[in-house]
Amino acid sequence: MSEPQAAETEASGRPGARAAARILFVGDIVGGIGRQTLLDCLPVLRERYQPTFIVANGENAAGGLGITPKNADQLFAAGIDVITLGNHTYHRREIYPYLDSNAAIVRPANFLRSQPGRGTAVVERDGVRLGVVNISGNLYLRAGRSAFTEIEVALAELGEVDHVLVDVHAEATSEKVAMGWHLDGRVTAVVGTHTHVPTADARVLPEGTAYITDVGMTGPRGGVIGVKREQAIASLLTHMPVRFETSDQDPWLMGVLVSCSERLRADSIEQVLMPRPAPA
Ligand SMILES: [Fe+2]
Ligand SMILES: [Fe+2]
């Protein structure tokens, strides 16, 4: 169904106004195999869903840990509008200046203010403005400030936007579920990342916010959350240091598609779980 673009744009300042968009969110891209899986899946997903925006979590893009400017450039060149990050943001030093200079890559907004980068981004396409917020959970993760207080600062920073997607990068399901309820009716979508395992709770909450506890990862399903399974098992068996490498077994793209017709509201959220297409 096509919508009259001019009417959407004119009306976009009001709550409940028309603001049609489809937002594809892609879970943590793990290593070169994850990046290649994204590149191989995107043409199919573009045709199938015709996304207005594509947002991807890139915190594991560089060999499983962190992201380099070259990785980020590759993702942007593939058509990713905004890259979100997480606890592995600072693993690669060469990304630090890039985080300060590139407005379309965000790290958790509740990191310390002194840490490189920013926590929010706004992009515009087809007359629709999308705000993206990255926020980190506080349980078992090192985030300098509270997710639940800093989210307010981050949302205020976005200004006038038609849609808001929040990537809540957290270990604990409880924190993510609570953030979903906390923001229900105030943002378009709250999507969880970090565990690399997709959850079965995707739904639109009563006030119109799309929610999922974890979208999963874009990477090798045949490993242990991205790592070669024999190495992960050896580490757990021996309690001795083991060098971790990214698995190349059974790569999948995992994410969600959020469809919207009204400002700051989701009509639906659909899981996207797609094996990497076989080479032609
Ligand atoms: Fe991750
Ligand atoms: Fe993470």
Side-chain angles (χ1 to χ4, degrees):
M1 189 177 74
S2 68
E3 300 291 337
Q5 292 295 319
E8 285 163 27
T9 308
E10 282 167 19
S12 65
R14 298 194 315 271
R18 302 289 293 171
R22 282 178 295 277
I23 307 164
L24 176 64
F25 180 80
V26 176
D28 304 29
I29 297 163
V30 181
I33 185 115
R35 286 182 276 119
Q36 194 56 51
T37 301
L38 174 82
L39 298 180
D40 292 349
C41 291
L42 268 185
V44 181
L45 296 175
R46 278 188 199 288
E47 195 175 320
R48 189 181 299 164
Y49 298 118
Q50 301 185 357
T52 318
F53 300 101
I54 308 178
V55 180
N57 187 298
E59 73 146 4
N60 306 103
L65 292 172
I67 186 167
T68 65
K70 203 174 152 195
N71 300 152
D73 285 342
Q74 184 190 27
L75 298 180
F76 288 132
I80 303 301
D81 295 294
V82 178
I83 299 171
T84 57
L85 297 166
N87 54 304
H88 296 304
T89 296
Y90 301 118
H91 194 77
R92 302 293 295 254
R93 284 179 175 272
E94 57 267 47
I95 200 68
Y96 300 179
Y98 193 99
L99 294 176
D100 286 325
S101 64
N102 192 316
I105 185 167
V106 292
R107 48 76 164 164
N110 55 330
F111 279 0
L112 297 175
R113 290 188 206 285
S114 57
Q115 290 176 284
R118 73 203 88 210
T120 62
V122 177
V123 284
E124 184 167 344
R125 198 173 291 276
D126 302 340
V128 178
R129 285 168 69 80
L130 171 71
V132 176
V133 177
N134 195 192
I135 198 97
S136 169
N138 295 104
L139 281 169
Y140 312 128
L141 287 176
R142 195 178 205 188
R145 296 171 294 142
S146 161
F148 283 80
T149 55
E150 293 310 312
I151 190 69
E152 304 300 336
V153 179
L155 293 177
E157 209 174 276
L158 295 175
E160 276 289 308
V161 288
D162 298 295
H163 290 292
V164 175
L165 177 132
V166 177
D167 172 355
V168 52
H169 195 82
E171 190 81 49
T173 52
S174 56
E175 274 190 311
K176 294 194 258 193
V177 172
M179 186 62 80
W181 287 119
H182 186 54
L183 299 182
D184 184 22
R186 301 164 62 198
V187 304
T188 310
V190 175
V191 293
T193 56
H194 176 67
T195 71
H196 294 195
V197 178
T199 55
D201 61 341
R203 59 175 163 156
V204 178
L205 297 174
E207 302 300 326
T209 296
Y211 176 79
I212 186 168
T213 298
D214 210 296
V215 304
M217 69 173 167
T218 295
R221 217 177 52 154
V224 175
I225 62 169
V227 170
K228 284 184 178 171
R229 57 182 182 257
E230 58 275 19
Q231 296 173 346
I233 292 166
S235 166
L236 291 163
L237 269 175
T238 65
H239 294 200
M240 293 301 288
V242 175
R243 186 183 145 81
F244 284 170
E245 294 160 315
T246 302
S247 165
D248 58 3
Q249 301 289 304
D250 193 18
W252 282 52
L253 181 146
M254 303 182 190
V256 289
L257 183 85
V258 177
S259 299
C260 324
S261 50
E262 287 182 13
R263 192 169 180 263
L264 293 173
R265 294 288 181 273
D267 298 328
S268 64
I269 176 170
E270 179 183 335
Q271 268 180 306
V272 178
L273 301 171
M274 180 181 173
R276 181 182 171 187

